[in-house]
Amino acid sequence: MTNEVVIVEAARSPLTQRQMYGRTSCELTVEKLLDVTVNGLLQRTKIDEDVVTTLVTVGDGAASRRYAESWRNVFDHIDLHETISSTSAVRLASEAINDDPRRVVLVAGAVGGHSLHEPGRPAGQPTPPGADLWSITRKKQGDFAFASHRRARECALSGDFRREIIPLEVHLDHEMTEFIASDELRQVPEPGGALTPAGAPASNGGAGHDCHPPHQSARAASGACALVLTSAARADDLGLHPRGRLVGVEMLFDIPLTNVSVSQLESVRSYLRALEVPLNRIDQFEVPEEVAVTPLIWLEQFRLNPYMLNPRGGALAFGHLGGLEGIRCVTTMLSALEDTGGTYGVVATSDPEGSGVLLVECLNSP
């Protein structure tokens, strides 16, 4: 037994690119979305709420504070922390567990589909200084966006997301209830203008949508995500079987990833080598898709197999969760590594406060 930081469980809600699942009169507020996701996560792990010692919230600040205080009202022993990014949240959790290996940390957050882009900034325009973007044409960006949609839809139809999603029960009125257990995935025409065959579902369980060209920048999404972390020793004491080990978490840049120069990306290689997990041992990469050019730069600079990067789609398909996107990526990546027998996965994060890297080792690979 060791005091290594482990990820006991990871889960998320269905994601939608409509405001709160398109129900303006729905009772599903951001706090409710967060509460349903966290309760579902704890039920899956069979962890009692009073075992949680620390709550770290990410995302919508006001909603997160109200949700955190609801915990404090019941459990006065709990430590509350508020962050604005996935990297900060996971690093804070890791530091808390290293200080006290008996801590059980819940990292959770939700967003309600706010705009991703600053006023006046054109959506989808890459700005990495020093990058040779001549080879990354608009056609390549459009093709990548389509591939993201296609991968996500294929995985949705095959049930690959079922394990990571906590279903939602939405009461429309006194007589009708909608059971949401899938993401909203929009149809897009294939490259060259071919449309999806008639009769093909627009999402794995959602209503149909008209076909639109794939956007080269992600739409804002609504959704919630949660992780439970603790030490390996504490997990053993509680009879828990962790899904992953947190090998490292670091904020590498003080700017969003879309502004990082190609030369600066070399620090990612250096960081992985310092953790004794070089690039050639990584089985999967999750890279932000706020704009399509970012993952294309990673593919080019790191000479990656396209099927290793965002293999189940990314924010171009699901919508982007802002500062919570990194937690969503960890959740999706763990399931993918388990299904494919992979060991190591990297999540690159991009937030207004900076860009980071999370390195995770999957513990449930066959």
Side-chain angles (χ1 to χ4, degrees), residues 10-68:
R12 64 177 178 86
S13 72
L15 306 180
T16 179
Q17 296 168 56
R18 295 175 293 169
Q19 186 69 25
M20 276 305 164
Y21 300 86
R23 306 296 180 183
T24 56
S25 60
C26 171
E27 85 286 0
L28 195 62
T29 61
V30 173
E31 296 98 311
K32 181 67 174 179
L33 185 65
L34 184 55
D35 190 50
V36 169
T37 302
V38 169
N39 287 340
L41 175 72
L42 295 180
Q43 288 172 13
R44 284 186 181 181
T45 57
K46 297 181 172 58
I47 294 177
D48 292 331
E49 291 179 333
D50 57 2
V51 172
V52 177
T53 63
T54 309
L55 173 62
V56 183
T57 57
V58 194
D60 188 308
S64 294
R65 281 190 292 273
R66 289 192 294 268
Y67 181 73

Side-chain angles (χ1 to χ4, degrees), residues 15-30 32-33 112 168-173 175-182 184 186 203 205-209 222:
L15 306 180
T16 179
Q17 296 168 56
R18 295 175 293 169
Q19 186 69 25
M20 276 305 164
Y21 300 86
R23 306 296 180 183
T24 56
S25 60
C26 171
E27 85 286 0
L28 195 62
T29 61
V30 173
K32 181 67 174 179
L33 185 65
L168 300 174
E169 187 176 323
V170 179
H171 301 287
L172 306 180
D173 54 36
E175 298 180 353
M176 294 183 61
T177 297
E178 183 176 359
F179 188 71
I180 303 174
S182 60
E184 177 195 52
R186 297 172 180 270
S203 65
H209 301 278
S222 300

Side-chain angles (χ1 to χ4, degrees), residues 166-357:
I166 303 296
L168 300 174
E169 187 176 323
V170 179
H171 301 287
L172 306 180
D173 54 36
H174 294 297
E175 298 180 353
M176 294 183 61
T177 297
E178 183 176 359
F179 188 71
I180 303 174
S182 60
D183 301 307
E184 177 195 52
L185 298 173
R186 297 172 180 270
Q187 283 186 294
V188 297
E190 295 186 22
L195 296 179
T196 304
S203 65
N204 57 325
H209 301 278
D210 293 335
C211 289
H212 299 283
H215 288 270
Q216 296 169 12
S217 58
R219 300 171 181 268
S222 300
C225 305
L227 304 173
V228 174
L229 304 96
T230 188
S231 67
R234 181 59 171 156
D236 190 56
D237 290 342
L238 294 171
L240 304 173
H241 303 285
R243 295 179 63 190
R245 178 173 72 95
L246 183 64
V247 182
V249 52
E250 190 62 53
M251 190 75 75
L252 295 181
F253 316 109
D254 60 1
I255 53 178
L257 199 61
T258 49
N259 291 60
V260 172
S261 68
V262 169
S263 61
Q264 285 177 298
L265 288 178
E266 182 60 31
S267 61
V268 176
R269 296 180 191 266
S270 300
Y271 179 65
L272 294 177
R273 283 196 296 266
L275 295 173
E276 300 182 349
V277 183
L279 204 65
N280 61 7
R281 293 186 62 192
I282 306 301
D283 298 297
Q284 182 177 331
F285 294 80
E286 288 286 335
V287 177
E289 288 187 5
E290 185 176 345
V291 290
V293 73
T294 303
L296 287 169
I297 289 175
W298 277 65
L299 285 172
E300 185 173 283
Q301 295 302 311
F302 294 117
R303 301 290 192 268
L304 300 178
N305 182 322
Y307 293 99
M308 294 171 59
L309 187 143
N310 300 1
R312 295 189 169 179
L316 288 164
F318 301 114
H320 198 282
L321 296 177
L324 194 58
E325 182 67 13
I327 305 299
R328 198 280 303 165
C329 288
V330 169
T331 302
T332 300
M333 186 179 72
L334 275 174
S335 295
L337 289 172
E338 290 169 351
D339 291 343
T340 59
T343 301
Y344 290 106
V346 165
V347 172
T349 62
S350 182
D351 304 292
E353 69 173 357
S355 308
V357 171

